[in-house]
């Protein structure tokens, strides 16, 4: 429960901030000198038009690079990395993993309640208008657990009149994808529906791959298939200026295989997910209560169903051995978010409240069902002050989590409960920006963020390898950022540079030696200290009118201070991407893309995988006005044999073609 003194502390801080915000000494400009731009699904505050678009991916960029899913699309941004692991894709933002950088869908938090993450490889990018990524220092309005930033997937809505988009594509090994999107909008109403599908067969390995086990023959990677169908519908009503009310439904039906481990430092598992489904119902609204006040709400219900089947061997036909099982998850989340914003003189003051209820049920076939439930809440106050070229933003939040119920099976297979638990955490941020000129801006910020442990962190027994810790507390990070953006040479050259440093304390790490009879048994505890620091940069230069070059670079260094010999995995120190784009007058284009990554740790004991570079090529040709376009390309043009995680080879050369119709 919230304690009285907690509420009093927040009230005092909030009142003080409010008084500072509305002090007459600041009242120097009219109310319309700044504005809130809160489109449905976005979590942003805008003063004077920002120069930097750093941290944003548009649908045009997603299409140009033929990114089929959200995980791959995020890899286009500097400081953001998609790492394909043993079980699912994992997103890292400046070294922080996906548990520490929550994902939002139109401003609604989405994750499997038990895991605290969601495989973004299973979410298609076809219904996306843009993806926004906040790194390190960010607004309190994202709610709990945004320790290292936040990712917001913003869906598309139709332009006025009738809009149609259709796409059909084929890939190497018989893979195909398709999209049909229909929309209609007037000044008071809009409706949009879309259906998208992708069917990936087992992908082809590089010709340079050399088999090290009898499990894999080196042709197509067994059990690497993925099938996803996505249905979405959105109905919106805009009765007057400043008012918008939208109901959205999104359904994901998926299934996928998990390739077995093919290295020499582990054991192969033969896993498949025949069910990986998500159903989402969202209501989003913006109401203009007065000329100075707006209310934004988001009400949501998310349903997650997945089934994991573990088989005896690579035939995926029998489940007789001890490690074979069928595990079924039945999860849902429901909640709401309300943000009240008030504009007074140069200030925008926002009061935000959030509540979320998570329910998880699981069982292995033949065993009883166990249930776990959590609730979380957050109360935040944010103020943004703007004066001419200078903007200052500050915020505080009180976050709360309570474990309502946590069942498990004891040694006699009886349903038993863990003790209940709760946690409270304070967060705060202060950031500012200054426009050096109309074409350059500098931004700096500091934030103190926390993350509550997931159900899995607290209660998982990891197949008998770990001891649950129901009293596990939140981990925290003190984040510093400094960014600079500039455009020069008649808008031909623009660049962004960002520096960052994060100090993590009470980090949730595996602690061994907790069982005197077995040194391999561990428990998650708040014992860790770590540092993440580095830089990321992006540049765009129009060499001549039809020819552009775009590049980004990231340097991320992670240090485990508590146990230096235990390495952080998945994130290379250096990564670089570049595009050379030639655009034709009829909206056709050719894009040559190069990406390279340095070596990285693949396991905490220090096992590494080597660095690699990939060359990709794509072109789009308008064959009928600007309505019909033929696209084609090659990924991994040089057929590079590489791994992101040791024992899991990646695709070799693959080709694709598609036809796109747009109205």
């Amino acid at each position: 429960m919230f304690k009285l003194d907690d509420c009093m502390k927040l009230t005092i801080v909030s009142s003080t901030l409010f008084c500072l915000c509305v002090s007459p000494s600041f009242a120097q400009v009219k109310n319309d000198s700044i504005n809130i731009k809160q489109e449905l699904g976005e979590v942003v505050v805008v003063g004077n038009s920002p120069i930097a678009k750093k941290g944003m991916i548009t649908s045009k960029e997603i299409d140009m690079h033929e990114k089929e899913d959200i995980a791959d699309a995020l890899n286009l941004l500097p400081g953001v990395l998609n790492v394909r692991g043993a079980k699912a894709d994992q997103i890292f933002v400046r070294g922080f993993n996906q548990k520490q950088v929550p994902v939002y869908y139109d401003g609604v938090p989405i994750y499997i309640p038990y895991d605290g993450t969601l495989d973004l490889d299973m979410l298609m990018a076809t219904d996306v208008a843009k993806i926004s990524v906040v790194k390190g220092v960010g607004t309190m309005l994202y709610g709990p657990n945004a320790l290292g930033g936040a990712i917001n997937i913003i869906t598309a809505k139709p332009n006025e009149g009738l809009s149609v988009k259709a796409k059909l594509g084929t890939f190497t090994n018989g893979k195909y994808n398709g999209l049909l999107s229909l929309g209609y909008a007037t000044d008071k109403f809009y409706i949009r529906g879309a259906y998208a599908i992708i069917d990936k067969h087992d992908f082809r390995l590089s010709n340079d791959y050399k088999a090290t086990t009898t499990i894999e023959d080196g042709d197509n990677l067994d059990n690497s298939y993925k099938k996803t169908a996505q249905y979405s519908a959105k109905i919106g009503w805009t009765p007057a200026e400043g008012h918008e009310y939208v109901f959205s439904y999104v359904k994901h039906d998926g299934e996928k295989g998990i390739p077995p481990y093919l290295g020499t430092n582990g054991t192969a598992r033969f896993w498949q997910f025949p069910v990986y489904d998500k159903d989402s119902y969202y209501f989003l609204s913006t109401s203009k209560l007065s000329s100075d006040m707006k209310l934004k709400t988001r009400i949501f219900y998310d349903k997650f169903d997945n089934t994991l089947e573990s088989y005896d061997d690579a035939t995926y036909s029998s489940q007789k051995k001890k490690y074979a099982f069928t595990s079924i998850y039945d999860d849902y989340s429901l909640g709401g978010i309300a943000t009240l914003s008030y504009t007074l003189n140069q200030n925008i003051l926002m009061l935000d409240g959030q509540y979320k209820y998570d329910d998880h049920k699981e069982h292995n076939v033949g065993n009883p069902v166990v249930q776990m439930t959590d609730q979380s809440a957050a109360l935040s106050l944010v103020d943004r002050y703007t004066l001419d070229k200078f903007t200052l933003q500050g915020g505080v939040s009180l976050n709360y989590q309570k474990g309502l119920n946590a069942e498990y099976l004891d040694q006699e297979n009886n349903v038993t409960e863990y003790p209940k638990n709760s946690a409270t955490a304070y967060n705060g941020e202060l950031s500012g920006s200054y426009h050096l000129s109309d074409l350059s801006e500098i931004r700096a910020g500091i934030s103190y963020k926390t993350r509550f442990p997931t159900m899995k962190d607290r209660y998982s027994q990891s197949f008998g390898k770990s001891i649950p810790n129901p009293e596990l507390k939140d981990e925290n990070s003190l984040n510093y950022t400094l960014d600079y953006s500039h455009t020069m040479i008649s808008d031909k050259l623009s660049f962004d540079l960002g520096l960052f440093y994060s100090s993590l304390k009470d980090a949730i790490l595996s602690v061994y030696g907790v069982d005197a009879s077995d040194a391999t048994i561990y428990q998650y505890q708040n014992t860790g200290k770590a540092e993440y620091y580095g830089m990321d940069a992006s540049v765009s230069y129009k060499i001549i009118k039809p020819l552009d070059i775009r590049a980004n670079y990231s340097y991320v260094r992670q240090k485990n201070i508590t146990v230096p010999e235990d390495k952080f995995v998945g994130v290379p120190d250096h990564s670089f991407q570049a595009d050379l784009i030639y655009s034709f007058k009829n909206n056709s284009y050719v894009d040559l893309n190069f990406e390279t990554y340095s070596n990285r740790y693949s396991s905490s004991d220090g096992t590494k995988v080597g660095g690699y570079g990939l060359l990709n090529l794509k072109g789009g040709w308008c064959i009928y006005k600007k309505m019909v376009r033929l696209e084609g390309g090659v990924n991994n043009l040089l057929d590079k044999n590489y791994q992101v995680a040791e024992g899991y080879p990646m695709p070799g050369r693959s080709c694709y073609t598609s036809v796109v119709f747009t109205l």
Side-chain angles (χ1 to χ4, degrees):
M1 294 181 65
F2 288 113
K3 297 180 181 178
L4 180 60
D5 60 341
D6 290 338
C7 295
M8 288 297 294
K9 289 176 184 176
L10 183 67
T11 302
I12 293 169
V13 173
S14 301
S15 301
T16 303
L17 184 59
F18 180 83
C19 292
L20 288 172
C21 293
V22 301
S23 173
S25 63
F26 288 128
Q28 300 175 10
V29 294
K30 297 179 180 179
N31 288 2
D32 59 0
S33 64
I34 55 176
N35 63 84
I36 282 185
K37 183 182 178 182
Q38 286 186 314
E39 296 183 15
L40 285 181
E42 292 192 81
V43 184
V44 293
V45 181
V46 178
N48 298 329
S49 297
I51 293 171
K53 295 298 183 183
K54 190 177 182 179
M56 188 79 70
I57 311 168
T58 65
S59 58
K60 183 177 180 180
E61 293 171 300
I62 293 172
D63 290 343
M64 177 176 288
H65 292 87
E66 199 64 29
K67 300 300 184 182
E68 303 160 350
D69 55 66
I70 300 298
D72 267 352
L74 285 166
N75 213 46
L76 296 172
L77 284 173
V80 183
L81 195 68
N82 174 30
V83 177
R84 292 187 178 179
K87 190 176 178 181
D89 283 30
Q90 180 73 248
I91 302 299
F92 290 87
V93 176
R94 288 180 169 175
F96 289 94
N97 64 43
Q98 205 169 313
K99 289 182 181 180
Q100 301 163 328
V101 183
V103 179
Y104 301 80
Y105 200 87
D106 282 334
V108 172
I110 56 170
Y111 55 79
I112 297 174
Y114 180 71
D115 297 311
T117 62
L118 181 68
D119 186 0
L120 298 183
D121 178 53
M122 300 299 288
L123 295 187
M124 301 178 69
T126 50
D127 200 29
V128 172
K130 55 188 174 182
I131 305 174
S132 173
V133 179
V134 174
K135 306 172 187 176
V137 176
T139 174
M140 298 290 102
L141 301 181
Y142 278 109
N145 303 322
L147 185 74
I151 299 168
N152 192 13
I153 304 163
I154 302 163
T155 59
K157 66 180 184 180
N159 296 321
E160 191 165 341
L162 178 66
S163 57
V164 180
K165 183 175 181 179
K167 179 177 180 178
L168 182 63
T170 61
F171 296 75
T172 305
N173 296 334
K175 180 179 72 173
Y176 69 89
N177 67 353
L179 165 69
L180 177 61
S181 172
L182 301 172
Y184 182 76
T186 68
D187 59 342
K188 303 286 187 183
F189 169 83
Y190 61 85
I191 185 170
R192 185 178 189 272
Y195 171 73
I197 186 170
I198 184 167
D199 187 346
K200 289 185 176 181
H201 296 184
D202 292 344
F203 63 71
R204 173 189 169 276
L205 292 167
S206 167
N207 287 332
D208 293 331
Y209 173 76
K210 304 300 181 184
T212 58
T213 172
T214 57
I215 297 174
E216 177 57 54
D217 59 13
D219 186 11
N220 295 335
L221 182 62
D222 291 340
N223 209 43
S224 61
Y225 69 90
K226 182 183 80 170
K227 298 178 182 179
T228 304
Q230 179 173 300
Y231 316 80
S232 62
K234 177 184 289 189
I235 299 175
W237 180 44
T238 53
E241 183 181 354
H243 294 264
E244 187 172 5
Y245 307 91
V246 175
F247 175 77
S248 297
Y249 171 68
V250 185
K251 180 178 179 61
H252 303 267
D253 288 340
E255 59 178 286
K256 63 177 181 176
I258 306 298
Y261 176 72
L262 302 176
T264 57
N265 298 315
T267 303
R269 297 181 295 187
F270 307 100
W271 285 6
Q272 291 182 342
F273 282 90
V275 177
Y276 200 100
D277 298 347
K278 177 179 179 290
D279 288 83
S280 305
Y281 303 83
Y282 304 143
F283 174 75
L284 299 88
S285 72
T286 296
S287 301
K288 186 176 181 180
L289 305 181
S290 69
S291 61
D292 300 317
M293 188 176 294
K294 289 184 180 181
L295 177 64
K296 182 176 181 179
T297 64
R298 283 157 280 171
I299 301 171
F300 54 90
Y301 174 82
D302 270 340
K303 182 77 167 63
F304 304 88
D305 296 288
N306 70 56
T307 300
L308 170 61
E309 294 181 338
S310 175
Y311 290 92
D312 295 339
D313 52 41
T315 64
Y316 301 94
S317 59
S318 61
Q319 295 177 297
K320 297 179 180 179
K321 296 185 178 181
K322 290 183 178 180
Y323 56 76
F325 60 86
T326 296
S327 174
I328 298 174
Y329 280 14
D330 178 4
D331 292 20
Y332 72 87
S333 296
L334 60 86
I337 303 170
T339 307
L340 182 66
S341 60
Y342 179 67
T343 303
L344 178 64
N345 301 318
Q346 298 139 286
N347 296 87
I348 303 173
L349 186 68
M350 286 160 287
L351 181 64
D352 180 88
Q354 305 191 17
Y355 175 80
K356 196 168 190 284
Y357 178 89
D358 292 328
D359 183 273
H360 166 73
K361 296 185 184 72
E362 70 168 276
H363 72 283
N364 286 358
V365 171
N367 288 338
V369 175
V370 296
Q371 182 182 30
M372 300 177 184
T373 54
D374 275 358
Q375 67 177 3
S376 59
L379 181 64
S380 305
L381 182 66
V382 175
D383 178 65
R384 188 176 181 99
Y385 170 75
T386 302
L387 178 62
D388 193 20
K389 297 180 179 182
F390 176 73
T391 299
L392 181 67
Q393 178 169 303
V396 293
S397 72
L398 173 62
N399 300 336
Y400 175 73
Q401 181 190 64
K402 184 174 184 178
L404 301 175
N405 179 44
E407 298 176 342
Y408 70 99
L409 298 181
D410 62 18
Q411 293 182 347
E412 284 74 38
N413 223 30
N414 297 317
V415 176
T416 310
E417 282 196 38
Y418 290 113
K420 295 178 173 59
N421 53 82
S422 64
T424 301
Y426 296 97
N427 289 238
E429 60 114 358
L430 181 66
S431 60
S433 65
Y434 183 75
H435 287 258
L436 301 171
S437 69
D438 291 340
L439 299 176
S440 62
E441 180 185 46
I442 188 168
R443 302 173 299 281
I446 179 174
S447 69
Y448 176 82
K449 298 287 193 70
T450 60
R451 177 185 79 88
F452 292 125
T454 65
M455 294 179 185
K456 186 174 183 178
D457 290 336
R458 285 173 283 157
Y459 307 126
S460 175
Q461 299 183 32
S462 300
F463 302 103
K465 295 180 181 179
S466 69
I467 298 174
N469 185 1
E471 297 303 318
L472 195 63
K473 301 301 182 182
D474 57 280
E475 56 184 359
N476 62 78
S477 177
L478 191 60
N479 304 317
Y480 303 85
T481 60
L482 179 64
D483 297 273
Y484 176 70
S485 302
H486 189 67
T487 300
M488 57 192 302
I489 315 178
S490 302
D491 293 338
K492 288 185 176 181
L493 175 65
S494 63
F495 64 87
D496 291 278
L497 174 66
L499 306 176
F500 63 91
Y501 173 83
S502 296
S503 175
L504 283 76
K505 293 183 179 179
D506 297 326
I508 299 172
L509 295 179
S510 303
V511 176
Y512 290 85
V514 292
D515 187 334
S517 64
D518 189 345
T520 65
I521 300 295
Y522 66 90
Q523 184 183 55
Y524 284 124
Q525 297 180 6
N526 297 103
T527 59
K529 291 184 179 181
E531 291 179 336
Y532 299 166
Y533 59 88
M535 63 163 288
D536 47 51
S538 61
V539 62
S540 175
Y541 179 56
K542 188 177 289 293
I543 302 172
I544 56 177
K545 190 173 183 179
L547 187 62
D548 291 82
I549 184 169
R550 303 171 190 173
N552 64 62
Y553 167 77
S554 299
Y555 170 71
V556 180
R557 189 62 183 243
Q558 299 172 291
K559 284 189 175 182
N560 186 338
I561 297 174
T562 305
V563 189
E565 59 270 23
D566 284 355
K567 307 300 182 182
F568 291 106
V569 302
V571 180
D573 284 356
H574 306 277
S575 59
F576 175 79
Q577 289 195 52
D579 288 274
L580 187 63
I581 305 166
Y582 189 91
S583 303
F584 300 91
K585 292 183 178 180
N586 66 343
N587 235 25
S588 301
Y589 68 91
V590 176
D591 176 22
L592 182 65
N593 169 265
F594 174 71
E595 53 184 303
T596 184
Y597 307 88
S598 63
N599 56 26
R600 68 187 85 189
Y601 291 107
S602 182
S603 62
S604 59
D605 64 5
T607 301
K608 282 187 174 183
V609 292
Y612 61 89
L614 302 176
L615 195 63
N616 310 299
L617 178 67
K618 185 184 178 184
W621 296 268
C622 289
I623 57 178
Y624 180 71
K625 298 181 179 180
K626 294 184 179 181
M627 296 170 57
V628 182
R629 187 170 69 251
L630 179 65
E631 297 180 341
V634 184
N635 289 328
N636 194 359
L637 184 65
L638 303 180
D639 198 34
K640 180 72 174 179
N641 177 37
Y642 68 103
Q643 299 181 32
V644 175
E646 189 270 331
Y648 296 93
M650 298 297 287
R653 183 188 301 113
S654 62
C655 306
Y656 57 89
T657 60
S658 59
V659 177
V660 182
F661 172 80
T662 306
L663 177 61

